[in-house]
Amino acid sequence: MPSPFPSSTSNPGTGIIKLALRPPDQPVFEVLSFSYPLKLVVSAHHNLPQSSSIETSATTPLRPSSVPLLFILTYGGGLVSGDQIHLSISLAPKTRLTIATQGSTKIFKPFLPVDGSHSVQPPSLTRQDLRVGIAANAALWLGPDPCQPFASSRYAQAQIFEVDIEGEGSLGLVDWVSEGRSARGEKWEFEGWTGKNEIWDVSSSANRKSGKGKNEKGARLVLRDNLILSAPGIASRVDSLGIFGTIILIGPLFLPLANFFIDEFKALPRIGARDWNAYKTLIAADTPNGTLFTDKERQQHWRKQRQGREKKDGVLWTAANVRGAVVVKFGASEVEGAKVWLREMLREEGTLDKEFGSGALMCVK
């Protein structure tokens, strides 16, 4: 008997998000579609104040009335061996979007045959592709929880961002991967994990320029960041790190946060370049006889405490300017140590909470 329902035209694991602005400044999802095993859930919006403290050299960036919080979910909390996810996101001018997950994205190991025999074939590749278009004065914060690949799994992801940089489009993201199920003794025992992040400038001036580093649409490549972890011997190559991650920030909305990372990196202790007497007069703020700090003293006190926790948690990090973007590389002995470090940095600077809402910090809770 034929099915009374029309056949589905969507491919498995495919999602489409199109965010637009309803006059005068109300964000609406023109398209929000997904198919198994992908699931997209919209949560509460973060209302923005009438004026912003973030200013460019000319004017305050155009802004919507609120910022939607969208969760990318998978059934069972992860991806089964062989799953393929393809997600397309389009942000219209003036829109903003926060993307999060409700926990680590688990990459499950392949299933063995019922008889328990081992196949000579390598495990199927699990893949996730993301393509994002960010128009003028639009902004995206992509803050997922760490990816957690199980032993014997194989995973690859590609994240392509097409940003109108001349139109002051903005992008911020964190992309991180852990050693696996540490509670079960796994330490980088997966077969392979590869990640690629690319940022392309699609502004009109980039299209007019000639030369190498342009795609078929005429967009100019601004940044390409690749991470390739392949067995055997991953654990020995990452030394004692239990998690490794990348932060990428570009555009006027993330400029204060980008500068904050650069300034804090410059302030890290270096042989022969630190005034070791700078903190001797500081008294802990929580002591009964504590003094009132000036803003500079409070920042120095916070910095000293943070650097002490970095040493305790085995946090290593670096930051650099790369063709108009700021790229931060970081690692820690354990996932929790990395989350504590990143949470302190983001909360101290304040841009994410103010401009995208508390949902932007869910990945570090």
Side-chain angles (χ1 to χ4, degrees), residues 80-127:
V80 178
S81 177
D83 277 349
Q84 305 283 316
I85 299 295
H86 303 278
L87 179 59
S88 173
I89 302 174
S90 176
L91 303 186
K94 285 183 60 176
T95 59
R96 294 185 193 176
L97 179 63
T98 300
I99 294 180
T101 57
Q102 285 189 321
S104 61
T105 299
K106 300 168 180 62
I107 311 301
F108 294 106
K109 63 182 181 180
F111 294 103
L112 294 176
V114 178
D115 58 6
S117 61
H118 291 269
S119 172
V120 295
Q121 298 294 329
S124 299
L125 179 67
T126 303
R127 185 169 187 88

Side-chain angles (χ1 to χ4, degrees), residues 307-327:
Q307 291 175 354
R309 281 188 289 268
E310 287 178 6
K311 184 177 180 180
K312 178 183 177 181
D313 294 334
V315 175
L316 300 172
W317 68 282
T318 183
N321 286 292
V322 183
R323 301 183 70 182
V326 166
V327 179

Side-chain angles (χ1 to χ4, degrees), residues 4 12 25 50 68 78 110 116 131 140 178 180 194 210 236 267-268 324 340 345:
D25 56 6
Q50 293 300 315
R131 181 172 289 273
L140 171 69
S178 73
T194 62
S210 60
S236 62
L268 288 177
V340 169
M345 296 289 282

Side-chain angles (χ1 to χ4, degrees), residues 137-347:
N137 292 295
L140 171 69
W141 169 251
L142 178 60
D145 284 81
C147 182
Q148 185 182 36
F150 289 9
S152 302
S153 64
R154 293 174 66 235
Y155 175 79
Q157 72 173 31
Q159 300 185 145
I160 312 299
F161 304 92
E162 298 178 336
V163 186
D164 188 344
I165 295 178
E166 186 181 60
E168 299 187 340
S170 298
L171 167 68
L173 69 92
V174 57
D175 183 19
W176 40 356
V177 55
S178 73
E179 61 189 350
R181 295 173 291 181
S182 57
R184 300 192 59 171
E186 293 182 0
K187 293 188 178 298
W188 308 101
E189 296 175 10
F190 45 85
E191 289 295 318
W193 192 99
T194 62
K196 177 175 68 174
N197 293 297
E198 290 184 357
I199 298 178
W200 294 82
D201 183 6
V202 296
S203 58
S204 57
S205 62
N207 291 333
R208 290 193 299 267
K209 294 179 181 178
S210 60
K212 297 180 179 180
K214 302 183 72 173
N215 63 11
E216 66 280 0
K217 298 180 181 179
R220 179 178 63 92
L221 180 63
V222 175
L223 176 69
R224 175 179 286 141
D225 180 80
N226 292 331
L227 175 62
I228 301 175
L229 300 172
S230 56
I234 300 176
S236 62
R237 297 198 297 273
V238 299
D239 197 18
S240 60
L241 296 180
I243 185 170
F244 182 81
T246 302
I247 301 168
I248 300 177
L249 304 167
I250 190 170
L253 200 62
F254 291 104
L255 183 60
L257 180 59
N259 290 338
F260 178 79
F261 273 104
I262 293 294
D263 292 341
E264 288 303 312
F265 177 66
K266 291 179 180 178
L268 288 177
R270 288 172 174 80
I271 296 176
R274 181 176 181 182
D275 181 6
W276 294 93
N277 294 318
Y279 306 121
K280 286 186 176 179
T281 59
L282 294 180
I283 302 175
D286 55 355
T287 59
N289 298 322
T291 60
L292 293 176
F293 289 172
T294 65
D295 289 343
K296 183 177 181 179
E297 287 175 334
R298 191 207 63 80
Q299 186 181 34
Q300 289 176 337
H301 180 70
W302 169 83
R303 183 179 294 150
K304 180 184 178 183
Q305 290 188 320
R306 192 206 77 227
Q307 291 175 354
R309 281 188 289 268
E310 287 178 6
K311 184 177 180 180
K312 178 183 177 181
D313 294 334
V315 175
L316 300 172
W317 68 282
T318 183
N321 286 292
V322 183
R323 301 183 70 182
V326 166
V327 179
V328 181
K329 296 287 185 178
F330 66 94
S333 300
E334 297 180 356
V335 172
E336 186 59 28
K339 285 190 173 185
V340 169
W341 170 79
L342 185 55
R343 179 170 63 243
E344 289 187 350
M345 296 289 282
L346 297 178
R347 283 182 173 175

